[in-house]
Amino acid sequence: DVVETQEHYKSRWRSIWIMYLTMFLSSVGFSIVIMSVWPYLQKIDPTADASFLGWIIASYSIGQMVASPLFGLWSNYRPRREPLVISTAISVAANCLYAYVHVPHSHNKYYMLTARALVGFGAGNVAVVRSYIAGATSLTERTSAMANTSACQAVGFILGPVFQTCFTLIGEEGVTWKFLCLQLNMYTAPVLFGALLGVINIILIFAIFREHRVDDMGRQYKSINSDGEGSDVLDQNTEGSIDHVAVVALNVLFFVILFVFAVFETIATPLTMDMYSWTRKEAVFYNGIILSVIGIESVIVFMVVKILSKKTGERAILHAGLLIVLIGFFILLPWGKKLPNIQWQEIKNNSIPRTAPTEMLMPFWSLQEMQLPSNHTGEPVGCPVTQSWCLNTPVIYLAQYLSSDVLIGLGYPVCNVMSYTLYSKVLGPKPQGVYMGWLTASGSGARILGPVFVSQIYTHLGPRWAFSLICGVVVASLLLLEIVYKRLIAFSVRYGRMQE
């Protein structure tokens, strides 16, 4: 029944590898400037405060959330090369704009905001990438391909800051090319490097990428966005309706998975500064190392889960991943009697500025920096007395924090891959562009709301409330998974065309 030539097989997998590269570059585009946005913003526009930085960081996810369904819809009816090239070109142009935001004489911060939003808009092609991979792989290939895709995304997030660190050797002044009005320095070189990678990606899409579509059993056939390759498959392969209850449930589960990880990323710096009296520099440095180790752990998990899923199935692994995440956050609950060191210095001379509502999206190391008295010569450390919970909430021991890091770093990639894989299998041979767009948009929304949750719940109520609520959310998602467990099966299995 499998009708696929060796030439078609090689072409199909070459195209999938181009999609892996596109996914990698999309995540690099986010992380390659994340450490330098704040000093660059201060340099180009002294009027920008830390609250505006929060909006710049959030603008990437907002742009991706808006673009993902649009590019997904486009890919359903036209050759996927079109949205892939256009989206990558938008990212290239946005990176170039970012390199030139120093040129205008005013409103520079708004140009930077626009540039980062457009980079995120271009990253909406993630929906196209995943829908293509879902349509170009059989059921037996799907989990492995989705794991590879997520691994490429994780490696991109890891290597982005590494590239940024290498470019710091150029220095803050760097080289100025007056005829191009371009300053090549530690802030602009990373985005220009990202633009170069984007141009290479466009060239490879034109040179290597081809439209391929196979059914769940691996038989090739044409789709509406095919460019003439493949062969027709009988209509019954696409007959039947999608289980929309399963689709909605998986969107909710994916939102929860991304939300809790966004909370985990965001809370790392303020939590360690409050609990262990780390300075800003120490918190950024140590948590950077921890997140890098978690990134490496995630890549290993992506590789292992491909093998494990063949024996246990995706649903069981998703269930186990959520349980591991639940245990990770449960461990973070304060249990002991020892209280954290209190940062009494902040109340001197009543010089603590009030926090504006718009600061809810700002990074917490910036918030801590803004709360320092202007007449204070050293950096106060410990849990600020302005957070009333510091006076009665037990400290979270370092062993608790590190154990939680390991468990969440294990559970998150498992849940990420399995939710994508199950989602694509539930959709089956139907065009998946719009559906993948909504899934990507739900993840982007979670990454926006995660920092908001941290800024409100953690700051005002403390870690006991924050982590208890997270545990409650994960328990609710486990109950939802139990309710829809039997519905999370492949389209072809549901209609009796294949055995599970």
Side-chain angles (χ1 to χ4, degrees):
D1 290 332
V2 179
V3 183
E4 183 177 32
T5 63
Q6 187 69 16
E7 182 181 352
H8 181 274
Y9 178 84
K10 290 180 179 179
S11 176
R12 179 164 64 90
W13 278 99
R14 279 197 297 266
S15 299
I16 291 173
W17 276 96
I18 295 299
M19 294 299 94
Y20 291 162
L21 174 64
T22 304
M23 181 65 80
F24 169 78
L25 294 180
S26 175
S27 58
V28 167
F30 171 77
S31 62
I32 198 169
V33 298
I34 201 67
M35 292 193 302
S36 65
V37 169
W38 178 231
Y40 189 39
L41 179 62
Q42 289 178 308
K43 181 180 179 181
I44 64 166
D45 196 336
T47 66
D49 57 15
S51 63
F52 195 83
L53 171 65
W55 291 110
I56 288 179
I57 293 174
S59 65
Y60 178 94
S61 296
I62 294 172
Q64 188 180 50
M65 183 172 64
V66 171
S68 297
L70 299 178
F71 285 130
L73 180 64
W74 188 353
S75 70
N76 275 0
Y77 298 101
R78 296 288 301 168
R80 291 186 180 89
R81 183 182 283 120
E82 293 178 7
L84 286 171
V85 169
I86 295 299
S87 60
T88 307
I90 290 172
S91 293
V92 170
N95 279 326
C96 293
L97 173 62
Y98 186 92
Y100 278 95
V101 294
H102 66 278
V103 174
H105 298 295
S106 62
H107 306 301
N108 304 72
K109 61 184 180 181
Y110 296 108
Y111 290 104
M112 181 182 281
L113 179 70
T114 303
R116 290 305 294 167
L118 287 173
V119 171
F121 192 89
N125 60 16
V126 167
V128 183
V129 169
R130 291 199 183 270
S131 68
Y132 177 81
I133 291 174
T137 53
S138 65
L139 276 185
T140 56
E141 298 169 329
R142 190 81 45 82
T143 303
S144 177
M146 286 295 180
N148 290 340
T149 307
S150 296
C152 290
Q153 190 175 32
V155 171
F157 281 124
I158 295 169
L159 292 184
V162 174
F163 292 146
Q164 168 73 77
T165 303
C166 293
F167 284 117
T168 56
L169 298 175
I170 299 176
E172 195 170 27
E173 297 302 322
V175 180
T176 301
W177 292 334
K178 292 185 178 180
F179 68 99
L180 292 176
C181 296
L182 176 65
Q183 293 179 1
L184 187 66
N185 54 35
M186 60 184 283
Y187 305 125
T188 61
V191 292
L192 293 174
F193 177 67
L196 175 63
L197 293 177
V199 171
I200 294 172
N201 192 22
I202 291 174
I203 294 171
L204 291 174
I205 289 172
F206 276 113
I208 299 175
F209 178 79
R210 297 292 182 269
E211 287 286 349
H212 290 290
R213 192 71 187 270
V214 298
D215 66 3
D216 286 346
M217 289 171 280
R219 297 177 299 189
Q220 67 186 74
Y221 67 97
K222 286 184 181 180
S223 61
I224 194 168
N225 52 11
S226 174
D227 54 7
E229 299 181 32
S231 57
D232 292 329
V233 148
L234 297 178
D235 289 337
Q236 65 259 25
N237 284 309
T238 57
E239 285 181 356
S241 60
I242 294 172
D243 187 347
H244 285 96
V245 173
V247 168
V248 171
L250 284 169
N251 269 280
V252 172
L253 289 171
F254 188 69
F255 177 88
V256 170
I257 292 162
L258 268 289
F259 177 79
V260 298
F261 191 72
V263 169
F264 170 72
E265 284 183 310
T266 309
I267 214 168
T269 299
L271 180 69
T272 52
M273 291 175 69
D274 293 344
M275 293 293 149
Y276 314 125
S277 300
W278 288 354
T279 64
R280 291 189 300 274
K281 184 177 180 181
E282 288 172 338
V284 171
F285 178 72
Y286 294 140
N287 282 303
I289 294 174
I290 290 170
L291 287 175
S292 297
V293 172
I294 290 175
I296 296 170
E297 178 189 12
S298 298
V299 174
I300 296 171
V301 171
F302 288 137
M303 298 299 104
V304 172
V305 83
K306 294 192 298 184
I307 302 170
L308 195 60
S309 64
K310 295 178 181 179
K311 299 180 179 180
T312 62
E314 290 85 2
R315 293 177 297 178
I317 295 181
L318 176 59
H319 196 281
L322 283 170
L323 280 174
I324 293 171
V325 170
L326 175 62
I327 295 170
F329 276 100
F330 185 77
I331 287 175
L332 274 178
L333 291 172
W335 295 110
K337 295 181 180 179
K338 180 183 176 183
L339 296 177
N341 295 329
I342 304 299
Q343 190 183 121
W344 294 103
Q345 294 96 322
E346 287 197 9
I347 62 173
K348 286 184 178 179
N349 302 327
N350 290 322
S351 56
I352 307 167
R354 295 178 66 85
T355 304
T358 53
E359 287 166 11
M360 63 183 181
L361 287 174
M362 62 189 283
F364 273 82
W365 61 268
S366 301
L367 178 59
Q368 296 284 352
E369 182 177 23
M370 287 184 66
Q371 289 179 337
L372 292 178
S374 57
N375 62 344
H376 198 80
T377 54
E379 178 185 349
V381 295
C383 202
V385 71
T386 49
Q387 297 176 166
S388 58
W389 57 264
C390 292
L391 301 175
N392 51 41
T393 301
V395 70
I396 297 172
Y397 295 101
L398 186 60
Q400 284 180 267
Y401 179 66
L402 294 177
S403 300
S404 174
D405 289 340
V406 172
L407 289 171
I408 294 171
L410 174 63
Y412 167 72
V414 168
C415 296
N416 184 289
V417 175
M418 291 302 103
S419 54
Y420 266 121
T421 304
L422 284 168
Y423 194 68
S424 65
K425 288 186 174 183
V426 166
L427 296 175
K430 305 284 186 178
Q432 297 190 9
V434 174
Y435 287 101
M436 284 293 179
W438 287 120
L439 191 68
T440 304
S442 68
S444 299
R447 296 190 71 86
I448 296 169
L449 292 178
V452 176
F453 174 89
V454 170
S455 66
Q456 298 301 312
I457 304 300
Y458 175 80
T459 303
H460 296 106
L461 300 177
R464 179 171 283 158
W465 271 97
F467 298 139
S468 295
L469 288 172
I470 289 294
C471 288
V473 168
V474 178
V475 168
S477 67
L478 280 165
L479 292 174
L480 175 62
L481 179 59
E482 286 295 327
I483 293 170
V484 299
Y485 195 85
K486 294 182 178 179
R487 305 183 77 131
L488 302 182
I489 56 176
F491 186 93
S492 297
V493 174
R494 183 172 177 235
Y495 286 99
R497 295 170 196 149
M498 290 183 68
Q499 294 294 321
E500 190 170 9

